[in-house]
């Protein structure tokens, strides 16, 4: 197939890990006869330096026109002044909103060879293969915010949490569709014993699943209990769907199951566009720009490479090629070709580009096995 992919390496280790992800994409294109046009543009701190804004119009235009967007990470101490008018994260939030990306997917799989890197006991991690789908463009992060002075000299701060039926329906549909292709279990997380938005969330979820996904097994879990169950019985979860703030917190907690944030990918999806056979999406490793590692060639590129696999699956529909990247990554982990964050005490430590090259090497082997 022919596809245009916008590549936004960003700041810190972003360019280093993105280089390995694009290498994997080029290897896929080469071996399966696709034509991927990879077009780079600045986003975040580097865009502030170059153009005075974290999301230049030319970057946004490129992303709108592209079939999918691959991102590294943005931010760093250089642009961290809280009083600054323009900040790198504004670029990322602006891009997600402009592209209508409302469903954030974070899969967490724990490879047996990496169990020792997790703070949880290895026996708890057996069989962990879960996907959190977080609502990304609504809720308290996007509601009205106010600060007012009080007569007693103090202040009152208010953040409004609001959800509408349609916002809940579309993300629940996205999650249920994904659950249908997995083990068919959906856990909806809310705080319905306290919050009105959660009561609406629960009612809408129940109706959508009953009306449209009769084969899905649905359970409702309160967010505080879910935080506990994620540590106590993580292997029981298949797909978790939840609102923006709960998802923000639970996904970081869930990421610790895998041992390092360096190995985890993410996708942010919008609705399919009529007339296009690709679906808009933004793909990025879940980690930040890791200024402590930037420029050293030590960052783990697997999260970025697995994000490229998600791009192939969800935006381009190239399921076989996505699975090939995932199999190549698993094989590299089994061979112990790992960066320092997951290598384990006394084991050899490999550089970012060695890990990327090993994945490309395995892709060739995977292809030979399948063709
Ligand atoms: P971080 O994810 O950058 O780093 C946290 C820790 O994890 C650090 O010790 C880092 O060395 C390590 N780490 C991160 N990625 C790694 C990788 N690929 N391989 C090995 N180790 C890795 O989070 P932070 O330190 O809180 O934030 C640093 C900067 O990144 C900040 O400016 C923050 O705003 C930004 N940030 C950006 C994004 C994004 O672009 N989506 C997300 C989170 C943070």
């Amino acid at each position: 197939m022919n596809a245009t992919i916008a590549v936004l390496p960003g700041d810190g280790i972003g360019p280093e890990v993105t280089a390995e992800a694009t290498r994997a994409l080029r290897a896929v294109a080469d071996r399966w006869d696709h034509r991927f046009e990879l077009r780079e543009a600045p986003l975040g701190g580097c865009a502030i330096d170059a153009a005075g804004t974290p999301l230049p119009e030319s970057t946004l235009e490129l992303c709108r026109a592209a079939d999918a967007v691959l991102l590294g990470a943005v931010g760093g101490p250089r642009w961290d002044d809280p009083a600054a008018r323009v900040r790198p994260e504004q670029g990322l939030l602006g891009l997600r909103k402009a592209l209508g990306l409302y469903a954030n997917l974070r899969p967490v799989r724990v490879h047996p060879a990496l169990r020792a890197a997790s703070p949880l006991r290895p026996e708890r991690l057996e069989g962990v293969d879960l996907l959190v789908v977080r609502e990304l463009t609504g809720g308290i992060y996007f509601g009205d915010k106010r600060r007012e002075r009080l007569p007693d000299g103090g202040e009152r701060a208010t953040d409004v949490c609001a959800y509408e039926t349609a916002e809940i329906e579309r993300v629940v549909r996205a999650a249920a569709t994904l659950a249908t292709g997995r083990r068919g279990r959906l856990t909806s997380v809310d705080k319905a014993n306290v919050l009105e938005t959660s009561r609406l969330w629960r009612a809408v979820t129940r109706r959508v699943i009953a009306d449209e996904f009769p084969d899905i097994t649905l359970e409702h879990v309160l967010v505080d209990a879910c935080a506990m169950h994620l540590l106590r019985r993580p292997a029981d979860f298949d797909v978790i769907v939840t609102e923006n703030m709960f998802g923000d917190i639970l996904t970081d907690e869930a990421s610790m199951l895998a041992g390092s944030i360096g190995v985890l990918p993410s996708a942010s999806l919008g609705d399919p566009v009529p007339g296009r056979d690709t679906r808009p999406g933004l793909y990025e490793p879940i980690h930040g720009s890791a200024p402590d590692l930037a420029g050293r060639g030590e960052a783990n590129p697997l999260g970025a490479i697995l994000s490229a696999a998600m791009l192939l699956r969800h935006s381009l529909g190239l399921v076989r090629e996505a699975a090939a990247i995932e199999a190549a990554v698993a094989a590299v982990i089994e061979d112990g070709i790992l960066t320092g964050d997951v290598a384990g005490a006394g084991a050899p430590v490999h550089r970012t580009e060695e890990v990327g090259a090993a994945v490309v090497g395995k892709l060739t082997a995977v292809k030979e096995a399948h063709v």
Side-chain angles (χ1 to χ4, degrees), residues 13 73-76 89 92 261-262 284 287-293 299-300 341:
I13 60 168
V74 299
E89 309 79 55
L92 188 49
I261 54 174
E284 53 181 319
H287 60 74
S289 59
D292 51 328
L293 292 181
N300 192 331
D341 54 322

Side-chain angles (χ1 to χ4, degrees), residues 7-21 70-75 285 287-291 293-295 299 301 304 352:
V7 179
L8 316 178
D11 309 315
I13 60 168
E16 297 166 47
V17 297
T18 307
E20 302 312 321
L70 182 69
L71 172 74
V74 299
H287 60 74
S289 59
L293 292 181
T352 308

